[in-house]
Amino acid sequence: MLFSQAQGRRVVSTADADTVGLIDGYVIDPTRQQVVALNLKKTAGSGDVLPWPDLLAFGDDAVTVERSTVVVEADERIAELSGKHHTILRKQVLTTSGQQIGKVQDVDFDPADGRILTLILDNQVQVAGTNLLGVGSYAVVVRS
Amino acid sequence: MSTLIRASALAKLPVVTFAGEDIAQLKDIVYAANGGQIGAFTLAGRGIFAGPLKTSLPWAAVVGLGPDAVIIESEEVLQPTSDVIGSAGDGATGGGDILKSEVLTDTGTSLGRVVDVIIGIGGGGRDQADVVGYEIEPAESLGRGKQHLLIPLPDTLAASGEHLMVPASASDYLTDDLSAFGTAVDAFRSQLAGGR
């Protein structure tokens, strides 16, 4: 599933069938090539982070969670990964041979486990998620 | 043949870690092995007001060198500049600057002055970076006009910081086209190897 496809999707709690928020962004851990949390908007409380392990299912129409309390404030690790420096979208991509190959336009991930499958660049180039090395303030680095 | 890059094009290239941070930019090249290879890079901070850094980047720590960046694993591979220059120096270039040196053939003809260094980067990344040639401002006696010429180098050469010695036959392979230069270097080197 693409980041852009799931953007704005409802997150629903199965305990009381309430919408707890809408998907607003993705927190990824580049060293594990994994989506580790979702950023939500329009949440009831002050928390706006949904850690990936607390998801029940990533469905085509909604994301389900057990109860609304799984939406928390970012812990240290997630806050560090979700900073502006670590957003992956629209960032230039450098290969380990020192070549700029494009900018990240979208990311394909596995809704079952959050694995990053493919980076899709603005020039239609696709990079396998397993080649992702890091996302920093300057660039996304991928193995060439 | 490997990719050819002008040394002047390397200056200011960002040094990027696997984590995607640009921690420095290239400032200058420290040549090793009598000016025949790149030994290390000295570094400057990023940004207009950043000065030179006290650390340098040994060539062995470079993962990839391309047109847009130099990739290294992490900041930890950088070493104090004094250590790097000490080990690469080894009587190599006599502390002299390669640019502006006069290129002399072993028969005593001046070919011109060095304005840039052409570096061949091996395909595998961590391979040595070989100095394959110089871009020279031709001497008038050459009768080739003012246009800069590229001159291939043998694998090893003598450099004093004042003069660079090349075999007389190098002048047969002068060219003004970087894209065709790789073939000229190969032809020149195989001719030298065959002659021995």
Side-chain angles (χ1 to χ4, degrees), chain A residues 92-95 97-102 138-139, chain B residues 5 9-16 22 24-26 46 64-71:
Chain A
Q92 65 166 336
V93 179
L94 288 175
T95 66
S97 56
Q99 209 156 11
Q100 206 244 70
I101 53 171
Y138 186 73
Chain B
I5 306 182
L10 295 179
K12 298 203 168 63
L13 265 191
V15 177
V16 181
D22 53 336
Q25 63 186 31
L26 298 188
R46 295 287 283 161
L65 171 57
D68 304 301
V70 180
I71 308 289

Side-chain angles (χ1 to χ4, degrees), chain B:
Chain B
M1 184 70 201
S2 49
T3 323
L4 300 182
I5 306 182
R6 281 188 173 87
S8 60
L10 295 179
K12 298 203 168 63
L13 265 191
V15 177
V16 181
T17 62
F18 276 6
E21 303 292 335
D22 53 336
I23 54 166
Q25 63 186 31
L26 298 188
K27 182 166 166 279
D28 212 342
I29 301 173
V30 182
Y31 293 98
N34 261 355
Q37 284 171 25
I38 291 182
F41 297 105
T42 59
L43 303 174
R46 295 287 283 161
I48 302 170
F49 300 110
L53 298 185
K54 290 199 175 74
T55 48
S56 289
L57 173 61
W59 174 255
V62 172
V63 177
L65 171 57
D68 304 301
V70 180
I71 308 289
I72 62 172
E73 238 171 87
S74 73
E75 209 162 340
E76 278 134 47
V77 303
L78 302 183
Q79 291 178 6
T81 303
S82 50
D83 292 5
V84 170
I85 290 186
S87 64
D90 227 12
T93 53
D97 196 344
I98 288 182
L99 299 183
K100 302 276 183 249
S101 293
E102 189 175 21
V103 180
L104 278 180
T105 66
D106 51 8
T107 53
T109 317
S110 167
L111 296 178
R113 287 189 180 278
V114 177
V115 291
D116 211 339
V117 178
I118 310 294
I119 294 157
I121 309 291
R126 275 180 203 261
D127 296 357
Q128 66 180 23
D130 203 6
V131 175
V132 297
Y134 291 130
E135 183 165 16
I136 60 170
E137 196 178 74
E140 271 177 40
S141 56
L142 227 53
R144 299 277 298 251
K146 288 242 182 260
Q147 199 178 4
H148 290 173
L149 293 176
L150 301 168
I151 180 170
L153 294 181
D155 287 323
T156 54
L157 76 162
S160 68
E162 188 184 358
H163 296 121
L164 293 160
M165 301 302 302
V166 298
S169 56
S171 54
D172 298 339
Y173 295 93
L174 285 171
T175 167
D176 52 12
D177 179 11
L178 186 60
S179 55
F181 188 56
T183 342
V185 173
D186 285 344
F188 172 60
R189 288 190 173 175
S190 59
Q191 178 242 337
L192 281 184
R196 275 178 207 142

Side-chain angles (χ1 to χ4, degrees), chain A residues 16-30:
Chain A
D16 51 14
D18 272 343
T19 300
V20 298
L22 304 177
I23 298 179
D24 190 35
Y26 307 83
V27 182
I28 62 170
D29 183 344

